[in-house]
């Protein structure tokens, strides 16, 4: 016979949303008589560790969120909120990374910078960022917001940001956006900026297609394009184009594989070092048209297309 759970008559009962976090071996505040880790703590731990495959799904510009999280060194984007900004907060801006890897910064003028490329305490980046943003809105001006574990039942970015608001990343050549007057920075601030700028890979966002980023490296240049299509269907379409010899972006370019990041697939092309972002604009737009046609095809893959798909799958790397 299973043991009966302790009776809790006469003890105050609270709902899950009101359960405070206590020590794992302490009695659960809900009054069940069990330890917290075996009662509501189990639910909280599961919610914290459960991985959300597409944390930015439903946000405007999901592909750009993924790119700024994983691929772009220095970029910012204005974040419009559903609710009116609190008094004293003139703006909220997303930044790829902040000094000292701060999760967020409330500047002296009250504006907020929210860092995207940070380690997160849970399996839901969206919930962690929303928690950081909420705390930044009430932080003292001139102070950073420290990392913490977000409440399991806390809001997500999808709950806080305006779903109709535009998400328009601005890619920077360096991290001068960290400080209001970077030209007159001196001492440790100037040295920190110099180190960060030296490590940043030159990156440019294409204007003719969505969520595609050109970058320059010493060996060769690359185009990394975050695509919103289901992975299996996209790989089939890329395989059709690859087998037909139409997957390149021009002479000397080559589709070499893809990344998998936050539930989306990111095809990658090698480009000759002489090919600039401007050079690849028209070829990328033409490729987008070929890809749309290939995505609309439901015919079974041919033997050549299956081999091409296998090669693409073998060269796929998971970033997150």
């Amino acid at each position: 016979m299973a043991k009966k759970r302790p009776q809790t008559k006469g003890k105050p009962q609270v709902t899950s949303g009101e359960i405070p976090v206590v020590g794992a071996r302490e009695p659960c505040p809900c009054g069940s008589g069990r330890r917290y880790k075996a009662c509501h703590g189990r639910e909280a731990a599961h919610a914290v560790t459960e991985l959300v495959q597409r944390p930015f799904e439903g946000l405007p510009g999901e592909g750009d969120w993924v790119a700024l999280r994983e691929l772009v060194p220095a970029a910012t984007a204005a974040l419009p909120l559903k609710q009116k900004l609190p008094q004293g907060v003139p703006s909220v801006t997303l930044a790829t990374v902040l000094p000292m890897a701060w999760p967020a910064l409330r500047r002296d003028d009250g504006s907020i910078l929210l860092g995207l490329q940070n380690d997160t305490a849970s399996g839901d980046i969206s919930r962690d960022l929303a928690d950081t943003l909420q705390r930044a809105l009430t932080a003292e001006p001139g102070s950073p917001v420290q990392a913490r574990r977000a409440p399991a039942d806390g809001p997500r970015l999808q709950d806080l940001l305006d779903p109709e608001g535009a998400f328009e990343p601005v890619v920077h050549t360096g991290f001068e956006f960290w400080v209001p007057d970077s030209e007159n920075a001196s001492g440790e601030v100037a040295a920190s900026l110099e180190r960060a700028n030296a490590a940043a890979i030159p990156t440019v966002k294409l204007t003719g297609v969505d969520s595609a980023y050109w970058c320059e490296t010493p060996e060769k240049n690359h185009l990394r394009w975050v695509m919103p299509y289901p992975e299996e269907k996209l790989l089939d379409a890329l395989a059709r184009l690859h087998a037909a010899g139409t997957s390149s972006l021009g002479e000397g370019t080559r589709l070499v594989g893809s990344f998998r990041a936050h539930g989306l697939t990111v095809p990658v092309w090698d480009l000759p070092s002489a090919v600039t972002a401007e050079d690849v604009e028209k070829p990328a737009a033409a490729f987008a048209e070929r890809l749309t046609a290939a995505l609309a095809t439901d015919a079974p893959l041919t033997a050549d297309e299956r081999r091409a798909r296998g090669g693409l799958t073998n060269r796929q790397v998971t970033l997150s």
Side-chain angles (χ1 to χ4, degrees), residues 42-66:
R42 179 183 299 170
E43 177 183 338
H46 176 72
V48 167
T49 58
E50 184 178 9
L51 179 63
V52 176
Q53 296 291 339
R54 289 179 63 178
F56 307 117
E57 185 176 15
L59 292 174
E62 180 186 6
D64 288 314
W65 278 90
V66 172

Side-chain angles (χ1 to χ4, degrees), residues 1 3 7 23 30 39 62 154 164 258 269 277 283 301 308-309 316:
M1 296 288 290
K3 292 183 179 179
Q7 298 299 309
C30 76
C39 191
E62 180 186 6
E164 303 299 325
S258 62
W269 285 262
L301 296 179
R309 194 186 195 283
Q316 190 172 47

Side-chain angles (χ1 to χ4, degrees), residues 111-143:
S111 62
I112 291 171
L113 288 177
L114 177 67
L116 181 58
Q117 294 179 13
N118 294 309
D119 292 335
T120 54
S122 80
D124 187 354
I125 299 170
S126 179
R127 196 179 307 281
D128 290 328
L129 288 170
D131 177 69
T132 300
L133 174 55
Q134 285 191 311
R135 290 185 290 126
L137 291 171
T138 59
E140 290 294 323
S143 62

Side-chain angles (χ1 to χ4, degrees), residues 145-159:
V145 176
Q146 302 300 328
R148 77 167 190 181
R149 189 180 75 180
D153 59 350
R156 307 177 72 237
L157 285 175
Q158 289 81 346
D159 302 316

Side-chain angles (χ1 to χ4, degrees), residues 81-263:
L81 305 189
K82 285 183 179 179
Q83 304 297 325
K84 184 178 179 181
L85 288 173
Q87 185 175 3
V89 180
S91 63
V92 176
T93 302
L94 183 74
T96 47
V97 67
L98 295 177
M100 309 297 293
W102 286 327
L105 173 65
R106 179 89 184 272
R107 305 175 98 163
D108 291 334
D109 66 355
S111 62
I112 291 171
L113 288 177
L114 177 67
L116 181 58
Q117 294 179 13
N118 294 309
D119 292 335
T120 54
S122 80
D124 187 354
I125 299 170
S126 179
R127 196 179 307 281
D128 290 328
L129 288 170
D131 177 69
T132 300
L133 174 55
Q134 285 191 311
R135 290 185 290 126
L137 291 171
T138 59
E140 290 294 323
S143 62
V145 176
Q146 302 300 328
R148 77 167 190 181
R149 189 180 75 180
D153 59 350
R156 307 177 72 237
L157 285 175
Q158 289 81 346
D159 302 316
L160 302 182
L161 301 185
D162 183 357
E164 303 299 325
F167 186 72
E168 300 176 349
V170 177
V171 178
H172 303 277
T173 57
F175 296 91
E176 283 75 16
F177 62 84
W178 282 353
V179 292
D181 188 12
S182 60
E183 292 184 358
N184 295 318
S186 60
E188 185 176 344
V189 173
S192 178
L193 275 175
E194 184 176 357
R195 288 192 299 269
N197 289 345
I201 296 174
T203 301
V204 177
K205 186 180 188 299
L206 298 195
T207 59
V209 295
D210 293 334
S211 309
Y213 292 80
W214 170 96
C215 69
E216 179 184 12
T217 63
E219 296 293 329
K220 61 187 72 174
N221 299 341
H222 305 279
L223 183 72
R224 301 177 291 190
W225 192 341
V226 186
M227 295 188 171
Y229 312 108
E231 180 178 334
E232 296 302 314
K233 191 171 183 64
L234 176 58
L235 288 175
D236 281 352
L238 292 174
R240 296 182 197 278
L241 296 178
H242 201 62
T246 58
S247 65
S248 76
L249 299 174
E251 185 178 354
T253 71
R254 186 166 66 98
L255 175 63
V256 293
S258 62
F259 297 131
R260 183 188 291 115
H262 305 293

